[in-house]
Amino acid sequence: MYIDSHCHINFPDLAGKLPEVFDLMGRNQVSHALCISVELEKFPEIIHLAEAYPNVYASVGVHPDHEDCTEPTVEQLVALADHPKVVAIGETGLDYFRLTGDLEWQRERFRTHIRAARACQKPLVIHTRSAADDTLRIMREEQAGEAGGVMHCFTESLAVAEAAIELGFFISFSGIVTFKNATALREVAAAIPLERMLIETDSPYLAPVPHRGQTNQPGFVMHVAEEIARVRGIPAETVGEITTGNFFRLFSAAV
Ligand SMILES: [Zn+2]
Ligand SMILES: [Zn+2]
């Protein structure tokens, strides 16, 4: 069994073919998917999916790359998270790769999410890109470890992974780990404890090898597990079993 800990099946590329998406999940032993919020405006779509499908969970949050959307408050996030299928706050974090200039608003938005996660005791889904130092600094300043969570679609160094683990966080690998040029990331996947690892697709983006160029979907997540298994010299089923256990351990407060 495998769980896709981070997908966007409400996005148009996948929302139009959900029967196919769920069919492939079933055939590839992907038992659950966590559908991640990127804007409050789109949250109703996500909660609708989580209510319609027993094996879909939801998060609530506003992505650091989204500029022209409703800025969430702590109170709003806590209120929207008060639903049995909402298991996480995010995705949130910092992205200095996609956006440049004065990004103080991004850091403020990140702090808001951490405060909400601590207030409602649900874990954080953190996106970090070209901003690892500030991400870890704000996590420490805001005591993000009190809520815990996951560093999603991880692409940083082993040192960053270890610092996040030290703060009580899990590390989630996406299809990037299967990419030809991802040697350094595969070394991270080989080095960190399996007990702190999750797997994800971040679909519809980042289709893993051998599906590069296709629309990614949760049913492809076992290719991530297979690559991690290969670099660690263990069966893919073991990676599936342990990351599934980790998923429920992390999100158990709400599941
Ligand atoms: Zn992300
Ligand atoms: Zn995402």
Side-chain angles (χ1 to χ4, degrees):
M1 284 293 202
Y2 304 95
I3 294 185
D4 185 356
S5 72
H6 189 117
C7 65
H8 302 282
I9 53 173
N10 62 310
F11 285 11
D13 284 347
L14 292 172
K17 55 170 190 179
L18 286 180
E20 215 179 292
V21 166
F22 285 104
D23 181 60
L24 191 70
M25 281 175 67
R27 282 188 284 129
N28 287 347
Q29 293 178 290
V30 181
S31 64
H32 296 79
L34 173 48
C35 187
I36 300 290
S37 169
V38 296
E39 276 185 10
L40 297 186
E41 284 81 353
K42 303 281 173 58
F43 181 69
E45 293 175 8
I46 290 171
I47 205 69
H48 173 78
L49 287 172
E51 285 172 348
Y53 297 95
N55 59 342
V56 174
Y57 297 109
S59 76
V60 62
V62 181
H63 195 289
D65 288 343
H66 289 234
E67 289 180 276
D68 300 314
C69 58
T70 304
E71 195 59 43
T73 64
V74 172
E75 294 70 26
Q76 238 174 339
L77 291 169
V78 169
L80 292 170
D82 186 19
H83 183 290
K85 296 298 290 282
V86 177
V87 299
I89 302 296
E91 61 181 289
T92 182
L94 302 177
D95 193 329
Y96 299 168
F97 181 82
R98 287 268 198 89
L99 300 178
T100 50
D102 182 5
L103 297 177
E104 186 54 28
W105 62 269
Q106 220 182 48
R107 291 184 285 275
E108 276 308 308
R109 183 185 287 176
F110 185 29
R111 290 181 193 277
T112 297
H113 283 78
I114 298 173
R115 289 169 193 168
R118 287 179 57 195
C120 67
Q121 279 301 301
K122 294 195 181 190
L124 287 152
V125 175
I126 295 181
H127 168 115
T128 184
R129 197 158 177 213
S130 305
D133 290 350
D134 277 5
T135 301
L136 289 168
R137 176 175 60 80
I138 291 174
M139 286 166 72
R140 290 191 187 101
E141 285 173 6
E142 296 290 339
Q143 293 162 277
E146 269 189 24
V150 54
M151 309 300 286
H152 109 87
C153 197
F154 193 80
T155 53
E156 303 293 333
S157 65
L158 180 58
V160 172
E162 285 171 342
I165 288 170
E166 184 69 34
L167 287 170
F169 278 70
F170 288 74
I171 306 295
S172 179
F173 294 95
S174 69
I176 291 176
V177 80
T178 70
F179 295 180
K180 202 174 165 198
N181 62 1
T183 312
L185 187 61
R186 277 188 284 276
E187 285 169 13
V188 178
I192 67 164
L194 267 179
E195 288 65 34
R196 305 308 291 274
M197 195 183 284
L198 296 178
I199 53 173
E200 66 172 83
T201 59
D202 207 8
S203 52
Y205 313 119
L206 299 171
V209 175
H211 298 287
R212 300 275 329 249
Q214 297 176 28
T215 301
N216 198 7
Q217 53 176 309
F220 291 164
V221 78
M222 82 287 189
H223 295 299
V224 177
E226 282 164 1
E227 187 60 27
I228 294 167
R230 197 184 63 77
V231 299
R232 299 184 73 108
I234 56 174
E237 291 72 23
T238 305
V239 174
E241 195 181 307
I242 294 174
T243 54
T244 294
N246 294 344
F247 179 92
F248 286 114
R249 194 149 49 90
L250 175 60
F251 297 113
S252 63
V255 167

